[in-house]
Structure formats: C-alpha cells, structure tokens
Amino acid sequence: MEHLIDPFQRAITYLRVSVTDRCDFRCVYCMSENMTFLPKKELLTLEELDRLCSAFISSGVRKLRITGGEPLVRKGIMTFFDSMSRHLAAGRLDELTLTTNGSQLAKYADDLAAAGVRRVNISLDTLDDAKFAEITRWGRLDQVIKGIDAAQKAGLRVKINTVALKGFNENELFTLAAWCAERDMDLTFIEVMPMGDIGNENRLMQYWSLNDLRSRLEERFTVTDLVERSGGPARYLRLEESGQKIGLITPMTHNFCESCNRVRITCTGEIYTCLGQEGKSDLRAPLRAHPDDDVPLLAAIHAAIGLKPKGHDFDYSRQELGGQMSRHMSHTGG
Ligand code: SAM
Ligand code: SF4
C-alpha cells in the first residue's frame, strides 16, 4: 500500500485515535462540568475503529495511541485492543499504546499488557488528595494510584503527564519529580493549550510557562537540554545530579511542526492533520458508505494527508488567546 507522505515531505507514521468523547473525570482545563456528549450513533463502532486503524497501518503507520475522552471507559474497548494486537504480532505495528487518566487501570492493566501494550501515559497533576479532587472535579487520587500500581505490576512502562498549572502545582514540582524518579516513571510537563469551552475557568490564569518551570528546576539542579526528539512537541532535559530525564511539551512557545509525523482521528471519524488548526476531513462517510471496500477510505485518507498544513498558530504572547480552538481536547484526543 502506498505510504502517507504529506505536502512537506513528512512521513505520517503515528496515529492518535480518540475512541470516546466521554470521561469519568471533568478536569477543569479540559471540560466544563456539564458536558453534552455525542449520541452513540455518531461514534465510530469498535469494528469501524478497527477498519480505520488497520487502513492507516497498511499505509505505513507504525505507532498507534488510543486516547479520548477516557479511552478505558469506552464499552468493549479491550476487544479493540485485543484485535489491534494482531498488527503487533505480524510486525506491521511497532507500538500500541494509550493515554489514560488511570482510573480504570487497576481493572485493565493486565489485559492491556496481554494485548501487547508496553507503555502507558497516565495523566496526573497533583499528589494531594484534595487538590486532585479539585482539578479533576470527579476523580479520586487513590483510585489513580492503584491504577498506576497495577500498570507497573503488569510490567507496563509508565509515563506521567502533568499539566503545568500556575498557582496549582508549581509548589509540587520537586515532589512530583522525586516521586516519579523513585517509582522509575518518566515525567512530562504539558503547557495548557487553548482547547474548547471550559466554562468559567480562565486559561491565562492557568497558564504556567515551562520556561519558568525550567528555571525553577535550575534553582536546585544542573539542567542539560537533550537533543533527542520524538517527532512531536516534546523536548527533554536531564537533571544532572539525579540523572532524571524530564519531558516538556510546549506547543505554543516552541516550533516543532517541521518534524511532525502524526495525525489525529476523533471519535466520530474526523481526521485532524494538525492539533493547532481547524482543518479536518471526514473519514466516517467513506467507512460507512463502503463497508466491504477499503479503497474509498484509503483515497479519503490520502486526500486528507495531502492537506496537512505546515504548522499551527497558537500564541499566548499577546496575552490573548490567539489561535483559540473551538474543539475540546477530549474530542480530538490529547
Ligand atoms: N483522559 C485521558 C487522560 O486524561 O490522560 C486521555 C485524554 S486527555 C484529553 C489527554 C491529555 O490531554 C491529558 O494528559 C490531559 O491532561 C491533557 N489536556 C487536556 N486538556 C488540555 C489542555 N487544555 N491543555 C493541555 N493539556 C490538556
Ligand atoms: Fe477526562 Fe482526560 Fe479530559 Fe481529564 S484530561 S477530563 S481525564 S479526558
């Protein structure tokens, strides 16, 4: 099958798929408290998700990340992971992974490992019970810690993703880093992105620049920037005294677009070829119109990749929400 190369000669090898817009948490930077979710018929079925991901894999995608919403609250989702594991076994896919809030991991970690998942990203912004309840609105820290325990016990490599939030977890920087180091987990901080209407929360109040976070680390450590890149927005630094490596995702302040190797699919089958642009194409229509023929679907995928823009326009620098995105992160998948 012809591989996916965009107009700027970037090979598309990484697919992120949102399998649901629903979630058992209501993180204040991600959702409003009263979310209206999509009716079930709008969502791709598990079979449609399988066909879609398999079409991408046949076109050269080597890494598949399942996200949401909370992917592990999607009914029957383990059937999908089990089914995707055939691509790992056949050597067509290098990695099957997921981003999760960790709430269901105590239940699913062993099954995920059995399906061939080796690494998992778990979102966690604070180690304080009360603050965790505040930021997730509906979540409980002990449940997530149990999920992390289960993931590690199942042999999954854990990366903690922490959204850097001004006045919220600034004072936990060193505690979080030490906790991750102690448990041999990777740690990445993410800057808040202007995605979706989140009710009364003020994003500029939430925004904590990772340049500032880096300076804080320098108060206690010798910080070295590492050259390695993942093809995405993450860059890495090392704390020389401890050897710990920390990831920073700064989509607004750093330009990573030239090495972008990824596209995203929403739970309704729309493909977004750039996280920071509204441009999208519908893949659900060709999927549903031709249940037994992947040719129109593959043509639609290639056409969408042909429209992948060069880069994005997020900009907080003028203290206004330049490049504000109307869609929620939980819709596109983080
Ligand atoms: N529910 C799963 C979770 O929380 O890991 C997967 C989906 S969630 C949308 C993916 C990631 O996006 C999480 O790490 C979350 O913290 C992050 N996220 C959500 N809204 C964000 C925003 N406005 N800015 C930056 N990161 C955000
Ligand atoms: Fe749910 Fe993840 Fe969004 Fe939090 S960040 S509300 S856990 S989808």
Side-chain angles (χ1 to χ4, degrees):
M1 205 69 67
E2 204 183 321
H3 280 201
L4 301 168
I5 310 282
D6 81 359
F8 304 95
Q9 299 309 310
R10 296 170 296 194
I12 305 308
T13 55
Y14 181 11
L15 179 66
R16 300 168 74 109
V17 183
S18 170
V19 295
T20 178
D21 59 336
R22 286 163 201 260
C23 188
D24 51 347
F25 291 0
R26 291 288 181 278
C27 302
V28 299
Y29 47 76
C30 180
M31 294 191 182
S32 61
E33 183 139 32
N34 304 308
M35 293 288 289
T36 311
F37 293 110
L38 294 162
K40 193 167 168 235
K41 64 175 188 331
E42 296 284 324
L43 297 194
L44 297 185
T45 64
L46 294 173
E47 293 73 23
E48 287 167 342
L49 281 167
D50 189 322
R51 264 185 76 204
L52 187 56
C53 292
S54 300
F56 274 93
I57 292 165
S58 74
S59 306
V61 160
R62 305 288 314 178
K63 176 171 172 178
L64 182 60
R65 178 175 296 279
I66 305 307
T67 177
E70 174 45 42
L72 297 181
V73 302
R74 171 87 196 243
K75 210 169 153 205
I77 193 63
M78 282 318 302
T79 320
F80 172 77
F81 276 100
D82 286 343
S83 160
M84 281 298 110
S85 69
R86 74 185 185 276
H87 296 301
L88 289 170
R92 287 186 291 268
L93 187 64
D94 296 330
E95 182 166 36
L96 173 62
T97 186
L98 70 154
T99 301
T100 171
N101 64 23
S103 70
Q104 308 301 313
L105 275 177
K107 192 157 122 199
Y108 290 128
D110 286 335
D111 296 340
L112 289 167
V117 173
R118 295 287 166 260
R119 300 195 297 169
V120 55
N121 287 2
I122 304 176
S123 304
L124 179 71
D125 302 328
T126 173
L127 289 171
D128 178 279
D129 289 306
K131 281 164 74 181
F132 189 87
E134 184 193 334
I135 201 79
T136 61
R137 291 200 188 99
W138 293 6
R140 283 196 351 258
L141 179 62
D142 65 331
Q143 189 184 355
V144 172
I145 300 291
K146 283 192 186 113
I148 296 173
D149 291 341
Q152 290 197 295
K153 196 154 163 269
L156 302 178
R157 176 96 201 142
V158 173
K159 180 164 79 110
I160 300 295
N161 279 340
T162 301
V163 178
L165 296 162
K166 198 172 188 61
F168 180 78
N169 55 14
E170 278 172 286
N171 59 354
E172 289 189 73
L173 173 60
F174 295 106
T175 332
L176 272 163
W179 181 72
C180 287
E182 212 169 274
R183 298 189 57 138
D184 190 26
M185 301 186 298
D186 298 319
L187 172 62
T188 289
F189 288 98
I190 311 176
E191 268 179 4
V192 172
M193 289 185 258
M195 309 284 291
D197 175 16
I198 48 166
N200 296 327
E201 303 293 329
N202 180 341
R203 280 187 208 283
L204 289 173
M205 292 301 289
Q206 295 173 349
Y207 176 70
W208 177 23
S209 146
L210 294 192
N211 287 335
D212 187 51
L213 184 149
R214 189 188 186 287
S215 306
R216 295 280 186 87
L217 288 171
E218 280 179 329
E219 290 168 12
R220 290 205 200 169
F221 294 97
T222 312
V223 176
T224 308
D225 291 302
L226 304 177
V227 287
E228 68 187 82
R229 294 300 297 255
S230 57
R235 63 201 162 96
Y236 298 92
L237 45 84
R238 188 173 52 230
L239 310 181
E240 293 302 341
E241 287 77 1
S242 63
Q244 188 175 8
K245 207 172 85 174
I246 291 182
L248 302 179
I249 298 188
T250 52
M252 274 74 67
T253 49
H254 285 264
N255 202 343
F256 54 89
C257 304
E258 69 283 354
S259 60
C260 184
N261 61 356
R262 61 197 60 193
V263 294
R264 292 173 169 75
I265 307 262
T266 68
C267 52
T268 58
E270 288 167 339
I271 176 171
Y272 283 88
T273 52
C274 176
L275 182 61
Q277 300 271 2
E278 298 279 5
K280 61 176 179 180
S281 315
D282 176 32
L283 300 178
R284 189 179 62 189
L287 254 176
R288 291 197 172 162
H290 307 276
D292 302 312
D293 178 8
D294 281 348
V295 173
L297 171 64
L298 285 162
I301 292 173
H302 277 271
I305 301 297
L307 296 173
K308 183 168 161 71
K310 198 170 178 190
H312 65 61
D313 310 317
F314 285 135
D315 184 8
Y316 277 127
S317 60
R318 284 162 294 152
Q319 291 295 296
E320 56 180 301
L321 295 180
Q324 165 87 42
M325 304 295 299
S326 61
R327 67 184 190 265
H328 281 260
M329 192 80 125
S330 51
H331 183 68
T332 340

